[in-house]
Each structure stands twice: as C-alpha cells, then as structure tokens.
Amino acid sequence: MPLLALLLLQLPAAPLTVDHYRRAEQFLAANAERLVFHNRVTPRWIAGSDRFWYRVRTGDASYRFRLADPARRSVTDAFDHVRLATALGAASGAAVRADSLPFDTIAWSARGDSLTVPIGAKRWRCSLGRWSCVEAAPPRSPEPGAAWSPDSSMRVVRVGGDLGLRRGADTTTARLTSDAEPEYDYGSMPGNSTYYVSSLRTGAVAPPAVLWSPDGRRFVSYRLDQRGVGLLHLLQLVPDSVQRPRPFAFRYALPGDSVVTRASLIVFDPARGTAVPVQLPPSIVLYVDPITWNEVRWSADGQRLYVMQSERGGHAFALYQVDPETGTARRLAEEWNATLAEPSLSLGQRDFHPLADGKVIWLSERDGWAHLYLVDGRTGGVIRRLTSGPWVVIRLLRVDEAAGQVYFLAAGREPGRDPYLRHLYRVSFDGTGLTLLTPEDSDHEIGFAPSGRWFVDRYSRWDRPPVTALRSANGETRVELERADVAKLVAAGWRAPERLRLVAGDGRTEIFGNLYRPRGFDFTRRYPVIEEIYPGPQANQAYPWFQAGGNAQALAQLGFVTLQVDGRGTPYRSKAFHDYSYGRLETGGGLEDHVAALGQLARRYPWFDTSRVGIFGHSGGGFASTRAILMYPDVYKVAVASAGNHDQRGYLAIWGESYQGMPAGANYDAQANQSLAGSLKGKLLLMTGDLDDNVHPMLTMRVADALIRANKDFDLMVIPNANHGSAGSPWFIRRRWDYFVRNLLGAEPPRDFRLAPPGR
C-alpha cells in the first residue's frame, strides 16, 4: 500500500456530543445570519426626494436607523437615537433603549422635522428639534383582504365570490360584479398555487388579485374558471381541537389534463362604474394567477395595459397591448422555441419593456444566449439586437427612455471571472455604449431609486463578505453604506467554501460548485462526503455570493465534507446548457455530472472519501437525491429526500409540461423514481408533510409502495400538519443529521438532542 494511503487510513469516528450539534445548529442559515452585523440594507426612499433611510443591525441586540443622501455623498444617523429614546420614554412611561428602539419603521413628516413611530398598539409623533413626543392618532386599522388604490382612497374587497369597492373610511360596499358561481368567481386564488390549503388552514384573508393603474383610475382583475379541473385531496390527521380528521379538496391540474384553470382579464373603472373585458382568450393558469405571475403590467401613465400569454407546453409566448377603454388588444411581439421559451431567466419575472413610440425592449434566447433586442411593436420584427456574445442577460432592471438607455443584470461577460457572478450594465437603444457599471469581481444585488438616478449595490462573493454602496446611475460610488462585520461568525468557526471548477460528464463542459471542509479539518484523515442537491431546471444550488450559513455548512460542523454542484440542465448559462434537462428529467439534473465531479475531487484530494458518499435535497432536490441513490447505487450510499416530486405526472402541470414536454406516449415513464425501486442498495430516508399542497404526499408514497413491493429496506417519515416547508422542521433537521452521522460517519449522535427553531 502506498505510504500516502497508509497515512490517510479511515480512522474511527470520534463520538459526537451535544457540543458538536450545537456548533452545527449555529451554522443553519438563520442562526449564522445573526452572527453578521452591518449586513443588509433595505432602502426606504423618502417621497419627493432621492434620500432614503434604512435600519441596520449593529450588534447582538443593537440597531441603528441611518439616513443616506446621494447628493451630499453622506450617510449619517437618521436622528439622535439617545434623545429620541429619552423623549419616547418620557412620553410613554416605558423604558426605551437607544441602541434598540422598539420599532422597525418610521414615517417622516413632509418637512422632515418630525417622525411618527409605532410602539405596540400606539403611535407617537416626535419632534426632532424639541425632542418631545406626543401620542398620535391611532393608525387606520388594516382591512384584511383589501386591495388598496395607490393613494389609499379606494379599496377592492371580495363579496363572496364577487368584487366590491369601498371608498375612504366608508365600510359601505358597492358591488362591482354580481354573477360569481362556485369555481367561477373573481380575483380568487387558484388551487394549484401551491399554498391554497395552507392559506385555508391559517385562516389568512387574501386580498383579491388586483393591479391598480399608477394613476389609481382603473384596476385590472380577472374571472377565474376552475370548473372541471381535477381535484387533489389532503387529510389533516391531527387537526386542532377536534377528533375527526379534516379533509381538504383543491383544484390542481396535472400534465396533459384536458381541462385546466383559466383567467379572463377585466378592466374596472370605479368612477364610471364600468367593467371592460380584455379581448384576448383567457390566460392559462397552471400555477399562480396572471397578476401574481407578473404577466400583466400597466404603462406609467395608466393609458395602456400590457398582457403576456404563454401557450400550453411553454414553447411560445406573446405580448399584447390592450386599450383599457375598449378592451381591444393587439400583438406587439412573440417568441417561440422548440424546447422551453422563457421570458426571463429569473423565475416569475417578465423581461420586456414597451416604449412610448411602439417599440419593445425584448429578451430572447434565439441565438442560444439570453440577450436583449429592440423589436418593432407593429410587425413584431427585430429592429436590432442590443446585446450579444457568449454570456446571458439575467434581469432587465430599468429603461430610461429620455436618455435612450437600458440597465440590466448579466453574467458571464467578464473574462476570467466566475460565469455566475451578476454585474450591472447599461446599453443604448442603438446597441452601442455597452458599459459595466459594477466593476468589482463579485456578485451584485441592485436596487434602483424611484428616480433612477441612483442605485444601491450590495456586492459579495463566496469568499468576500457583503459591502453595500450607494452609486450614481453611471456607476460612480457616492458613499459606502455598510461593510459587513463577520468577526463573530469567523470566531464561531466559519470558513469560506472552496469555489470549484469541474468538468461535466461529457468531458468538456465546465461546471461549478462549492465545497465546505469539516470543522477541524485534518488533511491526514479521510472524510465522508455529503452532497446537497437541487437539480433545477429553474434554479441553482451552488451560489456564488456570500453565505453565512446553510444546511451544507451545518453538516460540515459534524465532520463531513459537504458539496454543492450545478450540473448541466440548470439555468444562467447557455440555452444548450439549460436544455440538457429538457425532455430528460430522468437525468436528475445531470446526475452524471455530479458523479463525474465526485471522481475528479477524489483524484484531486486524497482526503475525499468516495466510498462514503451521501446526498440530500428537498422538493426537486428530494426527487434528485432519491434518483441519485437509485441510478448510482454504487456511488451514493445514503440519501435523505424530503417532499420530492418523484413523478412529474403527479406534480404541477406547468412543471412537467415546461421541462419534460406535453405527455405523449411513454415520454414520462423513465423519470418516475418508483420505476427504479428495485435498484436500491444503500440507506434511504423519505420524508413528506401530510399537508403538502405543493408536492402532494402521494408522490412520496408511490416510491414507498414500490420499495415495499421490491422488498427493500428504507425509512419513511410523515410530519403531521406540515406543508411544503416540512424540511424546515427542527425535528426533521436533527433527524437528517442523525441519519448521516449513523449511516455515513459511523458514529452515534447525542441522544434526544432538541434543535431550536432556526433564528431563535
């Protein structure tokens, strides 16, 4: 045996204690975030100015309110915290700490010389000159289930299945519709929204889906037709305060269903009392409604309505301009693709912008990369392309029509940089002047001011904590707002992950990942490996930005090497890279790429033990982790799969039809995990929540049934009263740790360890 191999013999695992688990608990995402200060800035722009305030955490229980002024290149305390605390204490009779004021929002007066803050059920108006506070009029009680106009003068409410209007403080309701029927009503939530049953259980009163025009003159809503759509059922076995199980039924279309939910758009004008139907076929609703899904948009002046509609199967979509006076519609642009045609690389976004002259800024992948085009709104033809090259536009952020410029996020353009890092760019309408506005070799999160003259840039990298800066629209840094303090996180044991460059299973395509070494890493040992997987196709797993903690980081504290890899079939690269999944979901998001990555890492690092590899994931990751241990039983020895969509024939119609195609013959057979049940060799833990209204528990039960029929040993957990957030259950997180510790590390976990809810 070679000397190096002798040195790297697998040593017996040291016993795990409560302290080990406490350290792992500290690195769950919500807990680790509490160890980072001066981190997140949420700008609250002050109306009528370019100034904004924000609240930032500066210590364990300390916060400061800050005021930024781009014109002055300044960021200061928004007020004297000590004087305000003293004034509030004197007025309220309560003890008020200056470093932790008991509110998180403020309302400035028009002149900026006073502010009003909520404390408990009361509001206090405080002078910033005299430093005195008086009790303010109680705030208007929020009306559950109301959709308010921009100036708060009107609100739309539901009246049974119909819509009604209330004005000002008046609770009298004027009926806007009166012909609602069961499963054929107005502005309601579709059953396939993936949280329908959860909302019923919590008693949440959702407002009707309404989109007001910017001028508050009109609003658009819809009539939702769910008649005849197939039902799914859930049974609450442990209901509150009653003995009998509580059943739930909801409309939920599956791939290939002949009847699906549809929404007919209507423009309402409260002043005139009119309701104008939009003269388009009803929008197909395979997930959330078209307003929530950002398929409906008003022009800035409220004179035009824009509607995007997709065809069944996701091969094509089109943009229409609607006259809100008459409801007449004309097509401005359309897109088609043999696989999935995407209006944005960011899920739920729609990257288009109609111009006042009838042209449209349009995103297309027609040349194999996501780029921006200027399209003629009369003919739909391309006037010119605005961007080009082997990189992708990720998000259209702002269009300045007066200057003839477009601002957008893109990735993969800068040579030598990680292709997943997002940067902000600007380009002119004539396709010239492409300019990088955020030059730092980092990932950039951008938020523009309402005026468009400034933006807040929070930039970070896997190995660089966040810096938040205020910049002008030309990219000039006006002032640094916050620089994250990670000293306490590092003291707790945080180490930056290694960013991996690997080669896919085809031997030529570059793929990327993150690797976390275990606490107390010793290169003379061999470590078991756990992969956290999410296969897309709509999202990634191995993020390139800074992360204080997460599931992979927590498991590394227990003595594992943990790994995340984005194989072919995931987004934000070329169209061909993404299309690797299309019609081939049985690959589990390019699992052959993950296996290839394990082999490369084993050759690169002698301490990387591929004889002990585990894998886990949730939802699509639950599908992929189960797929991995069934497809590659000699590679993956332990898998934990929570809420997996194990067979797309029983999941959302939009998911399977978008990524597997419309059902035709046997094209869905191979992707069903239960078809591979006979190949299980290792240890598999399946978990589902019994009230999961996103991924129905039946999909986990189908795999369990197939494993039983194949006479395979496996473990199954059903968490009562849990929806699709079941993987966040502290009890399950601890059990997942226990499962890997026992079956992969060969150690015994601490008995009856109680994990606190993350963030507490």
Side-chain angles (χ1 to χ4, degrees):
M1 180 179 294
L3 177 61
L4 184 59
L6 287 171
L7 291 174
L8 294 173
L9 286 173
Q10 179 180 320
L11 301 177
L16 292 184
T17 66
V18 168
D19 286 342
H20 289 96
Y21 269 47
R22 287 294 177 212
R23 285 197 293 266
E25 180 181 30
Q26 198 170 28
F27 279 89
L28 292 172
N31 297 336
E33 281 281 336
R34 295 173 65 84
L35 302 178
V36 181
F37 308 110
H38 298 277
N39 186 10
R40 299 193 178 276
V41 171
T42 302
R44 309 292 187 184
W45 300 93
I46 298 173
S49 81
D50 278 328
R51 298 185 305 154
F52 65 91
W53 65 268
Y54 62 92
R55 179 175 181 257
V56 66
R57 188 161 171 261
T58 58
D60 285 335
S62 301
Y63 293 86
R64 303 294 284 183
F65 287 87
R66 308 281 278 167
L67 181 67
D69 188 334
R72 295 184 177 182
R73 297 176 179 262
S74 67
V75 57
T76 60
D77 280 348
F79 42 77
D80 187 318
H81 288 60
V82 173
R83 286 187 172 184
L84 183 62
T86 301
L88 281 169
S92 67
V96 180
R97 288 179 48 186
D99 64 349
S100 186
L101 294 167
F103 50 84
D104 58 13
T105 187
I106 53 181
W108 294 91
S109 64
R111 293 191 299 178
D113 57 354
S114 68
L115 52 82
T116 302
V117 298
I119 301 179
K122 295 183 177 181
R123 295 199 312 160
W124 299 90
R125 186 172 60 253
C126 301
S127 165
L128 299 182
R130 296 189 303 273
W131 297 106
S132 60
C133 299
V134 296
E135 188 172 347
R140 181 172 53 195
S141 298
E143 185 170 347
W148 292 85
S149 62
D151 63 358
S152 298
S153 65
M154 296 180 286
R155 60 209 183 273
V156 181
V157 297
R158 291 178 61 82
V159 184
D162 284 299
L163 298 180
L165 186 78
R166 295 175 183 164
R167 299 178 183 274
D170 192 355
T171 58
T172 303
T173 304
R175 295 287 288 264
L176 298 173
T177 68
S178 58
D179 57 346
E181 304 172 14
E183 312 293 350
Y184 191 38
D185 55 7
Y186 292 89
S188 59
M189 179 191 300
N192 43 223
S193 62
T194 70
Y195 55 94
Y196 184 84
V197 173
S198 298
S199 66
L200 290 178
R201 287 179 56 219
T202 60
V205 181
V210 161
L211 184 64
W212 284 91
S213 60
D215 58 10
R217 178 182 171 187
R218 305 180 179 96
F219 68 87
V220 61
S221 189
Y222 55 79
R223 189 171 194 183
L224 194 72
D225 189 355
Q226 299 191 98
R227 296 172 298 180
V229 177
L231 286 169
L232 283 183
H233 299 82
L234 290 170
L235 186 63
Q236 186 178 17
L237 296 172
V238 188
D240 298 328
S241 70
V242 296
Q243 296 303 312
R244 296 182 185 275
R246 183 184 179 190
F248 295 93
F250 55 110
R251 302 290 176 180
Y252 188 108
L254 301 177
D257 279 0
S258 59
V259 179
V260 299
T261 301
R262 296 178 184 271
S264 299
L265 295 170
I266 306 168
V267 177
F268 293 87
D269 187 324
R272 296 180 180 179
T274 59
V276 178
V278 171
Q279 295 178 28
L280 285 171
S283 297
I284 298 170
V285 181
L286 300 180
Y287 178 37
V288 294
D289 66 85
I291 293 175
T292 303
W293 202 224
N294 294 308
E295 292 179 331
V296 183
R297 187 181 303 175
W298 286 99
S299 63
D301 61 6
Q303 299 304 304
R304 296 173 303 281
L305 184 69
Y306 298 99
V307 178
M308 181 170 281
Q309 290 192 331
S310 298
E311 74 169 24
R312 189 84 180 267
H315 293 296
F317 60 90
L319 177 67
Y320 299 88
Q321 178 178 301
V322 177
D323 181 347
E325 290 279 348
T326 64
T328 56
R330 68 181 185 88
R331 186 165 55 190
L332 298 179
E334 60 183 341
E335 192 74 16
W336 181 89
N337 201 289
T339 57
L340 175 63
E342 297 184 270
S344 175
L345 296 192
S346 300
L347 185 67
Q349 297 299 324
R350 301 292 180 265
D351 285 326
F352 68 87
H353 185 94
L355 303 175
D357 62 5
K359 301 182 181 70
V360 182
I361 307 294
W362 189 250
L363 182 132
S364 172
E365 293 181 282
R366 64 190 64 191
D367 73 344
W369 300 86
H371 280 297
L372 296 175
Y373 295 77
L374 185 64
V375 173
D376 188 325
R378 295 181 299 276
T379 66
V382 172
I383 298 172
R384 71 179 65 92
R385 59 183 308 154
L386 304 183
T387 62
S388 62
W391 48 278
V392 294
V393 173
I394 289 180
R395 182 85 187 276
L396 177 60
L397 290 182
R398 179 173 176 267
V399 175
D400 183 345
E401 290 200 46
Q405 294 174 327
V406 183
Y407 294 80
F408 60 93
L409 280 178
R413 181 178 180 271
E414 303 309 308
R417 295 188 180 181
D418 189 298
Y420 290 95
L421 294 176
R422 298 169 296 176
H423 293 78
L424 179 67
Y425 297 86
R426 181 182 63 209
V427 70
S428 296
F429 287 1
D430 63 5
T432 65
L434 180 63
T435 305
L436 171 66
L437 300 175
T438 52
E440 296 84 0
D441 183 10
S442 296
D443 181 79
H444 296 262
E445 300 175 51
I446 305 297
F448 269 94
S451 71
R453 297 177 60 200
W454 321 98
F455 63 89
V456 174
D457 177 15
R458 180 179 185 266
Y459 57 93
S460 71
R461 213 172 69 168
W462 60 89
D463 56 351
R464 297 176 185 170
V467 175
T468 305
L470 175 63
R471 307 180 107 141
S472 65
N474 65 9
E476 176 196 3
T477 299
R478 303 292 287 183
V479 63
E480 183 178 294
L481 300 173
E482 302 291 336
R483 184 173 291 264
D485 176 359
V486 297
K488 193 169 184 178
L489 180 70
V490 172
W494 182 88
R495 296 295 180 269
E498 178 182 349
R499 186 66 171 168
L500 301 171
R501 288 179 178 257
L502 302 160
V503 179
D506 62 1
R508 61 180 182 275
T509 303
E510 191 173 39
I511 59 175
F512 289 75
N514 295 332
L515 183 144
Y516 302 86
R517 301 191 186 196
R519 186 183 185 92
F521 175 77
D522 180 353
F523 77 93
T524 66
R525 297 188 59 133
R526 286 175 64 79
Y527 290 95
V529 179
I530 298 177
E531 181 181 354
E532 180 180 19
I533 190 170
Y534 192 84
Q538 91 293 359
N540 296 66
Q541 178 73 66
Y543 303 127
W545 49 80
F546 178 85
Q547 297 179 83
N551 290 316
Q553 293 94 316
L555 278 165
Q557 305 301 306
L558 299 179
F560 301 98
V561 172
T562 56
L563 177 68
Q564 301 158 329
V565 173
D566 287 325
R568 289 170 293 169
T570 51
Y572 308 122
R573 299 282 292 278
S574 69
K575 177 66 171 167
F577 189 98
H578 195 196
D579 277 350
Y580 187 75
S581 288
Y582 186 81
R584 303 175 67 242
L585 290 181
E586 61 270 15
T587 67
L591 279 170
E592 60 270 39
D593 294 350
H594 297 247
V595 172
L598 291 170
Q600 292 164 56
L601 292 171
R603 292 188 292 273
R604 186 181 301 179
Y605 300 125
W607 40 263
F608 197 92
D609 188 354
T610 52
S611 70
R612 294 183 292 164
V613 179
I615 190 169
F616 74 97
H618 180 71
S619 193
F623 164 79
S625 55
T626 303
R627 195 80 188 171
I629 201 170
L630 297 178
M631 280 185 70
Y632 297 98
D634 296 325
V635 175
Y636 295 99
K637 306 302 172 59
V638 183
V640 178
S642 50
N645 52 325
H646 298 284
D647 184 346
Q648 314 319 312
R649 293 172 295 192
Y651 188 47
L652 283 171
I654 193 172
W655 187 268
E657 293 178 8
S658 294
Y659 297 117
Q660 192 70 3
M662 294 296 291
N667 67 325
Y668 273 64
D669 291 356
Q671 58 78 43
N673 277 344
Q674 61 266 27
S675 66
L676 298 180
S679 63
L680 179 65
K681 292 183 180 179
K683 300 287 291 185
L684 171 62
L685 168 60
L686 299 171
M687 187 276 280
T688 184
D690 67 345
L691 291 178
D692 193 331
D693 44 3
N694 180 343
V695 177
H696 197 281
M698 68 175 172
L699 299 178
T700 294
M701 293 304 173
R702 286 178 183 175
V703 176
D705 176 65
L707 291 168
I708 291 169
R709 286 188 281 105
N711 197 35
K712 296 293 181 179
D713 293 333
F714 69 102
D715 295 287
L716 174 65
M717 293 179 182
V718 179
I719 300 183
N721 287 332
N723 61 11
H724 199 57
S726 54
S729 158
W731 181 83
F732 172 69
I733 293 171
R734 191 264 296 176
R735 292 300 303 271
R736 182 170 60 206
W737 293 355
D738 291 353
Y739 205 76
F740 284 126
V741 164
R742 287 194 177 102
N743 296 306
L744 208 58
L745 196 61
E748 189 62 25
R751 186 177 180 85
D752 298 329
F753 179 82
R754 183 179 289 274
L755 193 66
R760 295 187 186 175

